[in-house]
């Protein structure tokens, strides 16, 4: 008795009916393939130009919602935990000074190294993002920071804490901090200002909560237990990193779609090459079925793979995966199946897209508020807006050194630009807030304020910091106030509050000064990238921000120990806060110098425009320049 290829009894009538049904199914499949192929060819010939233009505009289009709001939540939590931990170190400093009995300059290195390395290692994180996804880098950062904090609980000296809490924790913080900033820009375009404001507000909320949290934990547990609990809280960043789902570019999606469709068309090509173009589809389907079907020899099966070898991998894959195709033997053809599935061997792999290659990735404001003078003519040809943030993907060689990578992403010619030099000086000097936040609780205790109330001073800074971020964004987006002008005012007020802090001997005055200082600090931090774009343009944002963050990291490391050194030798907090106030004052002067330079350059531009207009009206060049010169002298 004959049996089929699945080992079942098969009568002659069943064999004929099964063959006819399979032939009919294959005939329907091939007809559908031919119809799809012809329709695809006709569409490609008429829509090539429109497709190319659409692909250019949607190459890296952000979702602007959906899963992006969960990404925004994850970024909020990361900023909440990281900034809360770093800016509440001043509360822990009181306990560490009592426990180790070291000087303020030496003990303050613990928190300053943590804060400084979270920014100074930006090039290293950029190198990681070029090889791994944002999710992977953030996950590793969470584990590294947690490991450093756990080891810190066994420290027996300040030196060990500087290495474990400061260095190891700072490396992990930087691997979370930078991806937490840029991931929001990948998921949002039109709503970027709102999403970034929500995510970055976690910094102020974290500063408010962690100040009370550290004080409560220190009162119940020792500093070791407090750091261990904070290490457990850091593990929540693992969940946040899991939310940072990588975004595939439209180019990758099109390649996958075309590769999937090519399997279907390769199958048709295989049929066409086997028979002449005049062969009927039913004849083709019959031959295909007879070749693929197993050959029977009495009651046994003849194991042959010659028919399968004549078909292309795409054809075999299509026939195998099709729901109406001929069923294949489970046992006898497993080796042939594996040999012919060459598409699994030549599977395309994609290198993770480096988000730092985008010019706008650090920009936190509204794209529509970017000055028109810095937008390219190519992106503003029709709507006057950037084509989804003026993306500039740079091709970087895979096997390059870390120094070459840094040189490829940082433009050292910026130092020839006087505006950048002033911006660098301004933004490095306002890192003085690390001095204020580190020593403000201890200064309050020294001025007679109870210790439990001194911790709430940092919380007041956190609340006003959150309000300041919202207020600064509202002024720039709604009323279109110059961010550089806001910078000057905020830095000048921060300088005044730092000069007043040593003279505050009651809780009301120091709380009032803390609230004002939090507003000023928020404006300086959240408007940083907006000021860079306003003065240098979007094209130089990534390079300028990377260099500024590098020098800011160095300043964050050095500022608290220098201030602690002044206290140790002067035995008064007057001099450390005079130092921080002076740094803010010079930062305001540097920013004001940029405004003055802009006014001078705008006047020069207006003079050139007047001379051009006079020349166009028929006046000679010498007379027009003389008239403009006389008018300017009269003014």
């Amino acid at each position: 008795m004959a049996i089929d290829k699945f080992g079942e009894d098969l009568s002659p009538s069943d064999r004929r009916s099964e063959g006819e049904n399979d032939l009919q199914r294959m005939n329907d499949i091939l007809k559908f393939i031919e119809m799809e192929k012809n329709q695809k060819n006709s569409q490609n010939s008429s829509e090539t130009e429109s497709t190319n233009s659409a692909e250019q505009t949607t190459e890296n289009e952000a979702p602007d919602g959906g899963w992006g709001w969960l990404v925004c939540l994850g970024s909020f939590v990361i900023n909440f935990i990281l900034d809360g931990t770093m800016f509440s170190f001043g509360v822990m400093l009181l306990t560490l000074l009592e426990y180790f009995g070291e000087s303020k300059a030496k003990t303050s290195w613990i928190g300053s190294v943590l804060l400084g390395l979270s920014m100074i290692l930006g090039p290293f994180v950029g190198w990681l993002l070029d090889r791994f996804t944002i999710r992977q880098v953030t996950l590793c950062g969470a584990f590294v920071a947690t490991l450093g904090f756990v080891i810190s609980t066994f420290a027996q000296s300040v030196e060990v804490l500087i290495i474990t809490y400061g260095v190891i924790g700072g490396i992990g913080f930087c691997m979370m901090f930078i991806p937490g900033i840029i991931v929001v820009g990948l998921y949002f375009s039109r709503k970027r200002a709102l999403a970034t404001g929500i995510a970055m507000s976690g910094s102020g909320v974290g500063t408010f909560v962690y100040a009370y949290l550290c004080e409560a934990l220190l009162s119940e547990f020792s500093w070791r237990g407090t750091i261990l609990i904070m290490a457990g809280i850091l593990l929540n960043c693992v969940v946040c990193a899991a939310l940072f789902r990588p975004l595939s570019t439209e180019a990758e999606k099109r390649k996958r779609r075309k590769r999937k469709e090519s399997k279907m068309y390769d199958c048709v090509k295989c049929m066409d090459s086997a028979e002449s173009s005049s062969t009927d589809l039913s004849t083709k389907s019959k031959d295909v079925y007879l070749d693929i079907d197993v050959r029977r020899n009495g009651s046994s099966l003849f194991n042959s793979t010659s028919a399968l070898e004549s078909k292309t991998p795409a054809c075999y894959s299509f026939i195998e995966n099709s729901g109406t195709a001929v069923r294949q033997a489970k046992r006898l053809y497993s080796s042939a199946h594996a040999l012919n599935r060459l598409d699994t061997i030549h599977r395309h792999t994609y290198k993770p897209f480096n988000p730092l290659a985008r010019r706008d990735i650090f920009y936190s404001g509204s794209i529509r508020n970017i000055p028109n003078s810095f937008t390219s003519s190519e992106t503003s040809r029709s709507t006057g807006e950037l084509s989804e943030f003026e993306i500039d993907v740079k091709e970087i060689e895979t096997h390059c050194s870390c120094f070459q990578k840094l040189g490829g992403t940082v433009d050292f010619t910026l130092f020839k630009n006087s505006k950048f030099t002033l911006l660098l000086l301004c933004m490095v000097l306002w890192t003085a807030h690390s001095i204020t936040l580190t020593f403000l609780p201890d200064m309050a205790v020294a001025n007679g304020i109870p210790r439990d109330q001194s911790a709430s001073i940092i919380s007041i800074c956190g609340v006003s910091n959150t309000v300041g971020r919202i207020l600064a964004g509202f002024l720039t987006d709604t009323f279109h106030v110059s961010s550089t002008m806001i910078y000057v005012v905020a830095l000048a007020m921060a300088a005044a509050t730092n000069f007043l802090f040593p003279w505050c001997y009651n809780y009301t005055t120091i709380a009032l000064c803390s609230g004002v200082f939090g507003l000023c600090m928020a404006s300086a931090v959240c408007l940083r990238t907006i000021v860079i774009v306003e003065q240098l343009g979007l094209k130089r944002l990534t390079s300028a921000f990377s260099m500024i963050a590098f020098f800011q990291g160095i300043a964050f490391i050095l500022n608290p120990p220098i201030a602690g050194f002044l206290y140790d030798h002067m035995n008064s907090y007057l001099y450390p806060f005079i130092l921080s106030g002076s740094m803010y004052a010079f930062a305001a002067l540097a920013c004001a110098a940029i405004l003055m330079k802009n006014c001078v350059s705008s006047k020069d531009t207006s003079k050139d425009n007047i001379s051009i207009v006079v020349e166009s009206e028929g006046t000679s060049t010498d007379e027009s320049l003389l008239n403009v010169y006389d008018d300017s002298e009269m003014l």
Side-chain angles (χ1 to χ4, degrees), residues 501-518:
F501 272 130
W503 310 102
C504 298
Y505 292 98
N506 57 74
Y507 181 79
T508 303
T509 55
I510 197 171
L512 180 61
C513 290
S514 299
V516 176
F517 175 75

Side-chain angles (χ1 to χ4, degrees), residues 331-344:
R331 177 75 179 108
L332 294 178
Y333 285 92
S334 59
S335 59
H337 168 78
L339 291 174
N340 285 275
R341 288 297 300 274
L342 298 179
D343 57 309
T344 59

Side-chain angles (χ1 to χ4, degrees), residues 80 83-84 87-88 202-212 437 458-459 461-463 465 521:
F80 175 89
D83 285 352
F87 293 147
S88 63
S203 174
V205 178
T207 305
F208 167 75
V209 174
Y210 262 74
Y212 285 110
L437 294 177
I458 301 297
S459 298
C461 290
V463 173
N465 187 292
M521 183 180 67

Side-chain angles (χ1 to χ4, degrees), residues 16 59 210 220 231 252 300 312 341 433 446 450 491 528:
R16 286 193 297 273
E59 182 73 17
Y210 262 74
E220 293 292 332
E252 294 178 0
S300 62
T312 63
R341 288 297 300 274
H433 70 259
L491 294 175
R528 175 173 42 182

Side-chain angles (χ1 to χ4, degrees), residues 412-595:
F412 292 100
T413 60
L414 282 173
F415 287 101
K416 299 179 181 179
N417 190 322
S418 59
K419 285 187 179 180
F420 171 76
T421 305
L422 291 172
L423 279 177
L424 179 62
L425 178 63
C426 171
M427 295 184 179
V428 169
L429 288 175
W430 64 246
T431 57
H433 70 259
S434 60
I435 298 175
T436 307
L437 294 177
T438 301
F439 295 106
L440 188 59
D442 192 40
M443 188 214 67
V445 173
N447 287 357
I449 297 175
R451 180 168 177 171
D452 57 343
Q453 292 183 351
S454 65
S456 64
I457 296 174
I458 301 297
S459 298
I460 293 173
C461 290
V463 173
S464 59
N465 187 292
T466 305
V467 176
R469 291 174 185 270
I470 299 173
L471 182 60
F474 180 75
L475 291 176
T476 54
D477 290 341
T478 304
F479 295 99
H480 303 289
V481 181
S482 172
S483 57
T484 310
M485 182 63 69
I486 298 177
Y487 235 60
V488 174
V489 176
L491 294 175
M493 294 179 63
T497 54
N498 277 271
F499 287 135
L500 292 175
F501 272 130
W503 310 102
C504 298
Y505 292 98
N506 57 74
Y507 181 79
T508 303
T509 55
I510 197 171
L512 180 61
C513 290
S514 299
V516 176
F517 175 75
L519 291 172
C520 301
M521 183 180 67
S523 301
V525 174
C526 71
L527 296 179
R528 175 173 42 182
T529 58
I530 300 176
V531 171
I532 293 174
V533 172
E534 188 176 281
Q535 300 301 327
L536 302 177
L538 185 65
K539 183 178 181 180
R540 297 180 175 180
L541 172 61
T542 303
S543 297
F545 181 81
S546 299
M547 285 191 287
I548 289 174
F550 179 80
F551 286 102
Q552 281 185 329
I554 296 176
F556 277 130
I557 294 176
L558 298 178
N559 286 341
I562 293 175
F565 176 81
L566 291 176
Y567 178 86
D568 293 335
H569 285 74
M570 301 297 180
N571 199 24
S572 174
Y573 273 114
L574 176 64
Y575 301 98
F577 280 90
I578 287 179
L579 173 63
S580 61
S582 301
M583 292 176 66
Y584 270 111
F586 282 111
L589 291 176
C591 196
I594 297 175
L595 288 178

